[in-house]
Amino acid sequence: MVKEGFIVNLIQALSGFIKENEFIEPLARGMLLFLEDETVALERLRVLFGSDYADIFLLAFDWKLIIPLIPSKTCAWEDLAVSGINAPLYTMPKAVFYVLQEAMNKGIWDVDMGLKIMFETLDISVSPNKMVELVEELFNREKFMCVSARDIDIACRTVELPGFADQVIAIFKGVGIISPKLGYLGKLKPGLGPLYDVNPSLGKKLIDG
């Protein structure tokens, strides 16, 4: 059983960037189910979301707080979007899970601290603080919630991690910070490389905006 104080704190944290106030409490209660299980069944979430479940699922997916868990050749969020509100199972990106844990304890959506704690659990050669700095630099280069492979390479060099871009792409995809974009303008500008959607719930300028 989740303590009511955790729910109050999470509602407060989500209210900092979600404007649909009437959906925040059921969304918060649904998100906290992922503390118990990595995957949550559609019916459990629908019970909590009530008659507004369709709107809340779409809101959660827009912010990439909760995503459908379905077989996908690309693992791209665009692929998952077609499942919308009818996937049998849902999951939470790993990066969001760690920010959620901070939010339910502190009442603020502390991206930096959540990501720092997450990076401490990963077996990578770069310090957690440097990885958090890299995430912020990457979001500084975001346009229309997308970044290119070139943006990632530049961000790595900006924070003094040259030659780290390929590893970063793999790590960030794995934890839900970015996702491959299936159709992209980079085809018209090969120098950009592939494009990636960014998780808006992890971008401080997107949250504050």
Side-chain angles (χ1 to χ4, degrees), residues 67-95:
I67 58 176
L69 184 64
I70 59 171
S72 168
K73 292 180 179 179
T74 66
C75 296
W77 292 328
E78 289 175 318
D79 261 359
L80 303 179
V82 297
S83 294
I85 60 175
N86 294 311
L89 292 173
Y90 288 79
T91 188
M92 177 175 287
K94 186 171 187 175

PDB file of all heavy atoms in Angstrom, residues 67-95:
ATOM      1  N   ILE A  67       4.268   4.099 -20.945  1.00  0.00           N
ATOM      2  CA  ILE A  67       4.212   3.745 -22.358  1.00  0.00           C
ATOM      3  C   ILE A  67       3.693   2.324 -22.521  1.00  0.00           C
ATOM      4  O   ILE A  67       3.870   1.480 -21.645  1.00  0.00           O
ATOM      5  CB  ILE A  67       5.589   3.892 -23.039  1.00  0.00           C
ATOM      6  CG1 ILE A  67       6.636   3.022 -22.358  1.00  0.00           C
ATOM      7  CG2 ILE A  67       6.023   5.355 -23.070  1.00  0.00           C
ATOM      8  CD1 ILE A  67       7.990   3.056 -23.041  1.00  0.00           C
ATOM      9  N   PRO A  68       3.016   2.051 -23.644  1.00  0.00           N
ATOM     10  CA  PRO A  68       2.534   0.683 -23.890  1.00  0.00           C
ATOM     11  C   PRO A  68       3.704  -0.285 -24.029  1.00  0.00           C
ATOM     12  O   PRO A  68       4.758   0.065 -24.567  1.00  0.00           O
ATOM     13  CB  PRO A  68       1.767   0.808 -25.221  1.00  0.00           C
ATOM     14  CG  PRO A  68       1.548   2.272 -25.421  1.00  0.00           C
ATOM     15  CD  PRO A  68       2.661   2.974 -24.732  1.00  0.00           C
ATOM     16  N   LEU A  69       3.506  -1.493 -23.569  1.00  0.00           N
ATOM     17  CA  LEU A  69       4.517  -2.546 -23.708  1.00  0.00           C
ATOM     18  C   LEU A  69       4.014  -3.536 -24.750  1.00  0.00           C
ATOM     19  O   LEU A  69       3.170  -4.382 -24.471  1.00  0.00           O
ATOM     20  CB  LEU A  69       4.756  -3.244 -22.373  1.00  0.00           C
ATOM     21  CG  LEU A  69       5.856  -4.309 -22.357  1.00  0.00           C
ATOM     22  CD1 LEU A  69       7.218  -3.684 -22.642  1.00  0.00           C
ATOM     23  CD2 LEU A  69       5.881  -5.029 -21.023  1.00  0.00           C
ATOM     24  N   ILE A  70       4.531  -3.377 -25.965  1.00  0.00           N
ATOM     25  CA  ILE A  70       4.106  -4.242 -27.065  1.00  0.00           C
ATOM     26  C   ILE A  70       5.327  -4.647 -27.878  1.00  0.00           C
ATOM     27  O   ILE A  70       6.357  -3.959 -27.854  1.00  0.00           O
ATOM     28  CB  ILE A  70       3.094  -3.531 -27.988  1.00  0.00           C
ATOM     29  CG1 ILE A  70       3.709  -2.250 -28.566  1.00  0.00           C
ATOM     30  CG2 ILE A  70       1.800  -3.233 -27.263  1.00  0.00           C
ATOM     31  CD1 ILE A  70       2.871  -1.611 -29.649  1.00  0.00           C
ATOM     32  N   PRO A  71       5.248  -5.772 -28.599  1.00  0.00           N
ATOM     33  CA  PRO A  71       6.357  -6.147 -29.483  1.00  0.00           C
ATOM     34  C   PRO A  71       6.564  -5.083 -30.551  1.00  0.00           C
ATOM     35  O   PRO A  71       5.608  -4.583 -31.144  1.00  0.00           O
ATOM     36  CB  PRO A  71       5.877  -7.469 -30.105  1.00  0.00           C
ATOM     37  CG  PRO A  71       4.822  -7.970 -29.198  1.00  0.00           C
ATOM     38  CD  PRO A  71       4.164  -6.769 -28.598  1.00  0.00           C
ATOM     39  N   SER A  72       7.812  -4.707 -30.776  1.00  0.00           N
ATOM     40  CA  SER A  72       8.121  -3.671 -31.752  1.00  0.00           C
ATOM     41  C   SER A  72       9.498  -3.940 -32.334  1.00  0.00           C
ATOM     42  O   SER A  72      10.452  -4.185 -31.600  1.00  0.00           O
ATOM     43  CB  SER A  72       8.085  -2.287 -31.087  1.00  0.00           C
ATOM     44  OG  SER A  72       8.645  -1.304 -31.933  1.00  0.00           O
ATOM     45  N   LYS A  73       9.604  -3.887 -33.649  1.00  0.00           N
ATOM     46  CA  LYS A  73      10.891  -4.114 -34.297  1.00  0.00           C
ATOM     47  C   LYS A  73      11.871  -2.972 -34.007  1.00  0.00           C
ATOM     48  O   LYS A  73      13.067  -3.164 -33.941  1.00  0.00           O
ATOM     49  CB  LYS A  73      10.712  -4.251 -35.806  1.00  0.00           C
ATOM     50  CG  LYS A  73       9.961  -5.506 -36.224  1.00  0.00           C
ATOM     51  CD  LYS A  73       9.821  -5.585 -37.739  1.00  0.00           C
ATOM     52  CE  LYS A  73       9.090  -6.846 -38.154  1.00  0.00           C
ATOM     53  NZ  LYS A  73       8.924  -6.928 -39.634  1.00  0.00           N
ATOM     54  N   THR A  74      11.339  -1.781 -33.832  1.00  0.00           N
ATOM     55  CA  THR A  74      12.199  -0.602 -33.687  1.00  0.00           C
ATOM     56  C   THR A  74      12.314  -0.118 -32.253  1.00  0.00           C
ATOM     57  O   THR A  74      13.233   0.632 -31.936  1.00  0.00           O
ATOM     58  CB  THR A  74      11.651   0.566 -34.527  1.00  0.00           C
ATOM     59  OG1 THR A  74      10.392   0.983 -33.983  1.00  0.00           O
ATOM     60  CG2 THR A  74      11.474   0.158 -35.979  1.00  0.00           C
ATOM     61  N   CYS A  75      11.368  -0.487 -31.380  1.00  0.00           N
ATOM     62  CA  CYS A  75      11.269   0.054 -30.016  1.00  0.00           C
ATOM     63  C   CYS A  75      11.046   1.562 -30.013  1.00  0.00           C
ATOM     64  O   CYS A  75      11.276   2.230 -29.009  1.00  0.00           O
ATOM     65  CB  CYS A  75      12.527  -0.280 -29.200  1.00  0.00           C
ATOM     66  SG  CYS A  75      12.765  -2.038 -28.939  1.00  0.00           S
ATOM     67  N   ALA A  76      10.613   2.091 -31.152  1.00  0.00           N
ATOM     68  CA  ALA A  76      10.378   3.530 -31.243  1.00  0.00           C
ATOM     69  C   ALA A  76       9.046   3.893 -30.602  1.00  0.00           C
ATOM     70  O   ALA A  76       8.073   3.151 -30.715  1.00  0.00           O
ATOM     71  CB  ALA A  76      10.390   3.982 -32.701  1.00  0.00           C
ATOM     72  N   TRP A  77       9.017   5.049 -29.943  1.00  0.00           N
ATOM     73  CA  TRP A  77       7.766   5.498 -29.344  1.00  0.00           C
ATOM     74  C   TRP A  77       6.682   5.673 -30.395  1.00  0.00           C
ATOM     75  O   TRP A  77       5.506   5.457 -30.123  1.00  0.00           O
ATOM     76  CB  TRP A  77       7.995   6.802 -28.578  1.00  0.00           C
ATOM     77  CG  TRP A  77       8.844   6.632 -27.364  1.00  0.00           C
ATOM     78  CD1 TRP A  77       8.911   5.523 -26.558  1.00  0.00           C
ATOM     79  CD2 TRP A  77       9.753   7.575 -26.802  1.00  0.00           C
ATOM     80  NE1 TRP A  77       9.801   5.730 -25.534  1.00  0.00           N
ATOM     81  CE2 TRP A  77      10.336   6.979 -25.653  1.00  0.00           C
ATOM     82  CE3 TRP A  77      10.140   8.865 -27.143  1.00  0.00           C
ATOM     83  CZ2 TRP A  77      11.276   7.631 -24.856  1.00  0.00           C
ATOM     84  CZ3 TRP A  77      11.077   9.530 -26.357  1.00  0.00           C
ATOM     85  CH2 TRP A  77      11.637   8.917 -25.229  1.00  0.00           C
ATOM     86  N   GLU A  78       7.077   6.072 -31.601  1.00  0.00           N
ATOM     87  CA  GLU A  78       6.088   6.229 -32.675  1.00  0.00           C
ATOM     88  C   GLU A  78       5.386   4.913 -32.961  1.00  0.00           C
ATOM     89  O   GLU A  78       4.190   4.889 -33.253  1.00  0.00           O
ATOM     90  CB  GLU A  78       6.776   6.749 -33.939  1.00  0.00           C
ATOM     91  CG  GLU A  78       7.217   8.202 -33.846  1.00  0.00           C
ATOM     92  CD  GLU A  78       7.999   8.627 -35.073  1.00  0.00           C
ATOM     93  OE1 GLU A  78       8.844   7.849 -35.550  1.00  0.00           O
ATOM     94  OE2 GLU A  78       7.760   9.745 -35.548  1.00  0.00           O
ATOM     95  N   ASP A  79       6.120   3.809 -32.897  1.00  0.00           N
ATOM     96  CA  ASP A  79       5.518   2.491 -33.079  1.00  0.00           C
ATOM     97  C   ASP A  79       4.508   2.187 -31.977  1.00  0.00           C
ATOM     98  O   ASP A  79       3.453   1.607 -32.213  1.00  0.00           O
ATOM     99  CB  ASP A  79       6.605   1.406 -33.054  1.00  0.00           C
ATOM    100  CG  ASP A  79       7.006   0.966 -34.450  1.00  0.00           C
ATOM    101  OD1 ASP A  79       6.431   1.485 -35.426  1.00  0.00           O
ATOM    102  OD2 ASP A  79       7.900   0.114 -34.558  1.00  0.00           O
ATOM    103  N   LEU A  80       4.866   2.582 -30.748  1.00  0.00           N
ATOM    104  CA  LEU A  80       4.021   2.283 -29.602  1.00  0.00           C
ATOM    105  C   LEU A  80       2.755   3.126 -29.588  1.00  0.00           C
ATOM    106  O   LEU A  80       1.737   2.724 -29.018  1.00  0.00           O
ATOM    107  CB  LEU A  80       4.796   2.511 -28.308  1.00  0.00           C
ATOM    108  CG  LEU A  80       6.110   1.730 -28.151  1.00  0.00           C
ATOM    109  CD1 LEU A  80       6.772   2.075 -26.831  1.00  0.00           C
ATOM    110  CD2 LEU A  80       5.868   0.234 -28.262  1.00  0.00           C
ATOM    111  N   ALA A  81       2.819   4.292 -30.216  1.00  0.00           N
ATOM    112  CA  ALA A  81       1.692   5.222 -30.161  1.00  0.00           C
ATOM    113  C   ALA A  81       0.430   4.622 -30.756  1.00  0.00           C
ATOM    114  O   ALA A  81      -0.679   4.946 -30.328  1.00  0.00           O
ATOM    115  CB  ALA A  81       2.047   6.516 -30.890  1.00  0.00           C
ATOM    116  N   VAL A  82       0.578   3.724 -31.718  1.00  0.00           N
ATOM    117  CA  VAL A  82      -0.608   3.168 -32.360  1.00  0.00           C
ATOM    118  C   VAL A  82      -1.423   2.306 -31.393  1.00  0.00           C
ATOM    119  O   VAL A  82      -2.608   2.075 -31.607  1.00  0.00           O
ATOM    120  CB  VAL A  82      -0.219   2.336 -33.604  1.00  0.00           C
ATOM    121  CG1 VAL A  82       0.442   3.204 -34.644  1.00  0.00           C
ATOM    122  CG2 VAL A  82       0.678   1.175 -33.239  1.00  0.00           C
ATOM    123  N   SER A  83      -0.765   1.828 -30.324  1.00  0.00           N
ATOM    124  CA  SER A  83      -1.496   1.040 -29.323  1.00  0.00           C
ATOM    125  C   SER A  83      -2.366   1.923 -28.454  1.00  0.00           C
ATOM    126  O   SER A  83      -3.346   1.471 -27.880  1.00  0.00           O
ATOM    127  CB  SER A  83      -0.524   0.267 -28.432  1.00  0.00           C
ATOM    128  OG  SER A  83       0.136  -0.696 -29.189  1.00  0.00           O
ATOM    129  N   GLY A  84      -1.958   3.189 -28.337  1.00  0.00           N
ATOM    130  CA  GLY A  84      -2.748   4.172 -27.612  1.00  0.00           C
ATOM    131  C   GLY A  84      -3.241   3.704 -26.263  1.00  0.00           C
ATOM    132  O   GLY A  84      -2.466   3.462 -25.360  1.00  0.00           O
ATOM    133  N   ILE A  85      -4.540   3.512 -26.155  1.00  0.00           N
ATOM    134  CA  ILE A  85      -5.161   3.218 -24.864  1.00  0.00           C
ATOM    135  C   ILE A  85      -5.586   1.760 -24.749  1.00  0.00           C
ATOM    136  O   ILE A  85      -6.349   1.410 -23.846  1.00  0.00           O
ATOM    137  CB  ILE A  85      -6.376   4.138 -24.642  1.00  0.00           C
ATOM    138  CG1 ILE A  85      -7.403   3.912 -25.753  1.00  0.00           C
ATOM    139  CG2 ILE A  85      -5.949   5.590 -24.580  1.00  0.00           C
ATOM    140  CD1 ILE A  85      -8.692   4.684 -25.552  1.00  0.00           C
ATOM    141  N   ASN A  86      -5.088   0.906 -25.645  1.00  0.00           N
ATOM    142  CA  ASN A  86      -5.602  -0.466 -25.669  1.00  0.00           C
ATOM    143  C   ASN A  86      -4.534  -1.538 -25.536  1.00  0.00           C
ATOM    144  O   ASN A  86      -4.811  -2.709 -25.789  1.00  0.00           O
ATOM    145  CB  ASN A  86      -6.394  -0.701 -26.969  1.00  0.00           C
ATOM    146  CG  ASN A  86      -7.652   0.138 -27.023  1.00  0.00           C
ATOM    147  OD1 ASN A  86      -8.418   0.156 -26.076  1.00  0.00           O
ATOM    148  ND2 ASN A  86      -7.840   0.851 -28.111  1.00  0.00           N
ATOM    149  N   ALA A  87      -3.312  -1.174 -25.167  1.00  0.00           N
ATOM    150  CA  ALA A  87      -2.280  -2.190 -24.973  1.00  0.00           C
ATOM    151  C   ALA A  87      -2.593  -2.999 -23.720  1.00  0.00           C
ATOM    152  O   ALA A  87      -3.083  -2.454 -22.726  1.00  0.00           O
ATOM    153  CB  ALA A  87      -0.909  -1.531 -24.849  1.00  0.00           C
ATOM    154  N   PRO A  88      -2.322  -4.299 -23.725  1.00  0.00           N
ATOM    155  CA  PRO A  88      -2.641  -5.109 -22.536  1.00  0.00           C
ATOM    156  C   PRO A  88      -1.755  -4.787 -21.340  1.00  0.00           C
ATOM    157  O   PRO A  88      -2.169  -4.931 -20.198  1.00  0.00           O
ATOM    158  CB  PRO A  88      -2.415  -6.545 -23.013  1.00  0.00           C
ATOM    159  CG  PRO A  88      -1.511  -6.419 -24.198  1.00  0.00           C
ATOM    160  CD  PRO A  88      -1.841  -5.109 -24.845  1.00  0.00           C
ATOM    161  N   LEU A  89      -0.519  -4.341 -21.604  1.00  0.00           N
ATOM    162  CA  LEU A  89       0.426  -4.028 -20.533  1.00  0.00           C
ATOM    163  C   LEU A  89       1.078  -2.674 -20.787  1.00  0.00           C
ATOM    164  O   LEU A  89       1.268  -2.263 -21.932  1.00  0.00           O
ATOM    165  CB  LEU A  89       1.517  -5.104 -20.439  1.00  0.00           C
ATOM    166  CG  LEU A  89       1.103  -6.504 -19.975  1.00  0.00           C
ATOM    167  CD1 LEU A  89       2.279  -7.458 -20.119  1.00  0.00           C
ATOM    168  CD2 LEU A  89       0.611  -6.471 -18.535  1.00  0.00           C
ATOM    169  N   TYR A  90       1.450  -2.029 -19.668  1.00  0.00           N
ATOM    170  CA  TYR A  90       2.149  -0.746 -19.742  1.00  0.00           C
ATOM    171  C   TYR A  90       3.396  -0.799 -18.872  1.00  0.00           C
ATOM    172  O   TYR A  90       3.484  -1.572 -17.913  1.00  0.00           O
ATOM    173  CB  TYR A  90       1.217   0.400 -19.294  1.00  0.00           C
ATOM    174  CG  TYR A  90       0.149   0.679 -20.309  1.00  0.00           C
ATOM    175  CD1 TYR A  90      -0.974  -0.139 -20.403  1.00  0.00           C
ATOM    176  CD2 TYR A  90       0.281   1.719 -21.211  1.00  0.00           C
ATOM    177  CE1 TYR A  90      -1.940   0.074 -21.360  1.00  0.00           C
ATOM    178  CE2 TYR A  90      -0.689   1.946 -22.180  1.00  0.00           C
ATOM    179  CZ  TYR A  90      -1.792   1.123 -22.254  1.00  0.00           C
ATOM    180  OH  TYR A  90      -2.734   1.340 -23.226  1.00  0.00           O
ATOM    181  N   THR A  91       4.355   0.029 -19.235  1.00  0.00           N
ATOM    182  CA  THR A  91       5.585   0.097 -18.458  1.00  0.00           C
ATOM    183  C   THR A  91       5.987   1.561 -18.291  1.00  0.00           C
ATOM    184  O   THR A  91       5.354   2.457 -18.855  1.00  0.00           O
ATOM    185  CB  THR A  91       6.703  -0.723 -19.143  1.00  0.00           C
ATOM    186  OG1 THR A  91       7.832  -0.807 -18.279  1.00  0.00           O
ATOM    187  CG2 THR A  91       7.123  -0.086 -20.468  1.00  0.00           C
ATOM    188  N   MET A  92       7.035   1.778 -17.529  1.00  0.00           N
ATOM    189  CA  MET A  92       7.526   3.129 -17.272  1.00  0.00           C
ATOM    190  C   MET A  92       9.002   3.176 -17.659  1.00  0.00           C
ATOM    191  O   MET A  92       9.774   2.299 -17.255  1.00  0.00           O
ATOM    192  CB  MET A  92       7.366   3.473 -15.784  1.00  0.00           C
ATOM    193  CG  MET A  92       7.916   4.847 -15.388  1.00  0.00           C
ATOM    194  SD  MET A  92       7.565   5.233 -13.644  1.00  0.00           S
ATOM    195  CE  MET A  92       5.796   5.566 -13.730  1.00  0.00           C
ATOM    196  N   PRO A  93       9.419   4.169 -18.447  1.00  0.00           N
ATOM    197  CA  PRO A  93      10.831   4.278 -18.773  1.00  0.00           C
ATOM    198  C   PRO A  93      11.680   4.324 -17.497  1.00  0.00           C
ATOM    199  O   PRO A  93      11.291   4.942 -16.497  1.00  0.00           O
ATOM    200  CB  PRO A  93      10.922   5.602 -19.540  1.00  0.00           C
ATOM    201  CG  PRO A  93       9.553   5.785 -20.122  1.00  0.00           C
ATOM    202  CD  PRO A  93       8.616   5.221 -19.097  1.00  0.00           C
ATOM    203  N   LYS A  94      12.820   3.659 -17.543  1.00  0.00           N
ATOM    204  CA  LYS A  94      13.656   3.550 -16.355  1.00  0.00           C
ATOM    205  C   LYS A  94      14.022   4.920 -15.802  1.00  0.00           C
ATOM    206  O   LYS A  94      14.016   5.139 -14.581  1.00  0.00           O
ATOM    207  CB  LYS A  94      14.924   2.766 -16.698  1.00  0.00           C
ATOM    208  CG  LYS A  94      15.816   2.466 -15.502  1.00  0.00           C
ATOM    209  CD  LYS A  94      16.933   1.506 -15.886  1.00  0.00           C
ATOM    210  CE  LYS A  94      17.735   1.067 -14.663  1.00  0.00           C
ATOM    211  NZ  LYS A  94      18.750   0.037 -15.022  1.00  0.00           N
ATOM    212  N   ALA A  95      14.349   5.862 -16.678  1.00  0.00           N
ATOM    213  CA  ALA A  95      14.732   7.195 -16.215  1.00  0.00           C
ATOM    214  C   ALA A  95      13.583   7.872 -15.474  1.00  0.00           C
ATOM    215  O   ALA A  95      13.786   8.531 -14.444  1.00  0.00           O
ATOM    216  CB  ALA A  95      15.187   8.054 -17.398  1.00  0.00           C
TER     217      ALA A  95
END
